[in-house]
Amino acid sequence: MAPGDCAPPVPNTDVSGIGVRVSFYLQYTLAALSCTVSQEIRDIEDALSTLAVTNMAYCVTTLVLGFKSSPELTLYDGLVVMYLTLFILGFCFAITVQYTHAHGFNRYLYLLACTQCYLVLGTFLAICITMPSFGSDAACNSERRVSILFAPVSTHAFRIAGIPISSVLLIFETVLISFAYNNFLRSFFFGKGESKKHSEYIPKLRKVQFASNTIVYGLCVAHVETLRLYNKPDPSDSYWGFGQILPVFLIAHPAMRTLSLLRQHVAPRMCP
């Protein structure tokens, strides 16, 4: 296909539509607020587990739909998935590293966090490797653009950098898990009672954490939305159909949990 003959990508709205994106943004915001407001391990567990499960489900859906014999995703969908899951993975990774140093950390959540890392980075690597042929409009993949620090970059250049970066990140994660393995085994076989972890606290600098979360959140939103700007997808990804409203409803529980934490930890300080 000649350059310039490609039509705008027609995204799968159940993967990259406005409802899915807004749901991810809100989940990130709620989790960051929960981890900043509360220092109790139970609250950190709830926030991390919600994000980890969402990330993993999103990656599995992308791998299934993107690598079918008749793909139901475009490369644009895959890029949106990469941005959303990688930025949220960065947040989860930072909190998990801090969290595992606390006495009584949940060993099952640690396993979940490790699985999430491999799945997200594996999805990143798989899309990078197959980028020239990924999706339902592969003939136009060379015409798509990726947003790197808000600047448009060709998919070819992104692929050249993405494959070694994702490989290095996978190796780094494996090394990190190996170093933490002894601590994990001690927790698994000689862990303290589950009830004790709820009274433990994670030491952290709230202002630093809030600032870093705000920066990462801003980068996530900016990269996803500039990706839309550069690729000009079909307007259908901005329509609020049932498939777009449902993901937003799914954040009702995290929202109620965060509001409860705000009332518990913030409201008393504001009242005389």
Side-chain angles (χ1 to χ4, degrees):
M1 185 174 293
D5 290 345
C6 290
V10 180
N12 184 323
T13 55
D14 292 334
V15 173
S16 61
I18 187 171
V20 177
R21 299 196 310 273
V22 169
S23 175
F24 259 82
Y25 299 156
L26 290 177
Q27 282 201 46
Y28 185 105
T29 302
L30 294 171
L33 282 174
S34 297
C35 293
T36 302
V37 169
S38 176
Q39 292 184 329
E40 293 189 12
I41 288 184
R42 178 183 59 187
D43 300 327
I44 307 298
E45 288 174 358
D46 290 343
L48 288 180
S49 60
T50 299
L51 285 179
V53 170
T54 302
N55 251 11
M56 292 169 64
Y58 203 35
C59 287
V60 170
T61 300
T62 300
L63 292 173
V64 171
L65 297 181
F67 291 97
K68 294 173 61 177
S69 56
S70 298
E72 297 182 23
L73 301 180
T74 64
L75 178 60
Y76 168 79
D77 295 314
L79 293 173
V80 171
V81 171
M82 285 171 54
Y83 279 127
L84 290 176
T85 56
L86 284 172
F87 276 107
I88 290 181
L89 175 64
F91 167 78
C92 291
F93 178 80
I95 298 298
T96 302
V97 168
Q98 187 176 33
Y99 168 72
T100 53
H101 288 296
H103 172 67
F105 71 90
N106 190 313
R107 50 188 174 269
Y108 300 110
L109 182 57
Y110 177 77
L111 278 175
L112 185 68
C114 293
T115 304
Q116 176 201 200
C117 285
Y118 278 113
L119 190 54
V120 171
L121 293 176
T123 302
F124 177 25
L125 180 60
I127 293 176
C128 285
I129 291 174
T130 62
M131 191 167 285
S133 60
F134 182 87
S136 57
D137 62 347
C140 293
N141 284 357
S142 61
E143 297 295 307
R144 307 307 179 204
R145 290 295 177 264
V146 183
S147 175
I148 301 296
L149 295 178
F150 322 128
V153 176
S154 70
T155 54
H156 177 69
F158 180 80
R159 180 173 182 256
I160 291 175
I163 292 176
I165 288 175
S166 57
S167 301
V168 168
L169 288 175
L170 281 167
I171 295 172
F172 173 74
E173 183 208 352
T174 302
V175 172
L176 191 65
I177 290 174
S178 299
F179 276 112
Y181 189 63
N182 288 335
N183 186 35
F184 171 73
L185 285 180
R186 285 196 298 271
S187 173
F188 191 87
F189 291 109
F190 308 107
K192 306 298 181 182
E194 290 291 319
S195 60
K196 291 188 177 182
K197 71 176 184 297
H198 300 312
S199 61
E200 297 293 335
Y201 288 85
I202 301 174
K204 57 177 177 280
L205 299 175
R206 293 191 178 189
K207 292 182 179 179
V208 174
Q209 188 182 58
F210 180 77
S212 61
N213 288 339
T214 302
I215 292 172
V216 173
Y217 174 79
L219 289 173
C220 176
V221 175
H223 276 85
V224 173
E225 297 307 317
T226 52
L227 180 70
R228 294 187 66 250
L229 176 66
Y230 297 141
N231 290 283
K232 298 179 175 59
D234 186 84
S236 61
D237 83 327
S238 297
Y239 296 160
W240 283 91
F242 176 76
Q244 304 306 301
I245 297 174
L246 181 61
V248 178
F249 281 140
L250 295 179
I251 67 169
H253 174 65
M256 295 299 294
R257 180 186 64 216
T258 304
L259 288 174
S260 176
L261 291 175
L262 289 172
R263 286 196 299 266
Q264 179 182 351
H265 295 280
V266 177
R269 301 175 191 172
M270 300 178 64
C271 297

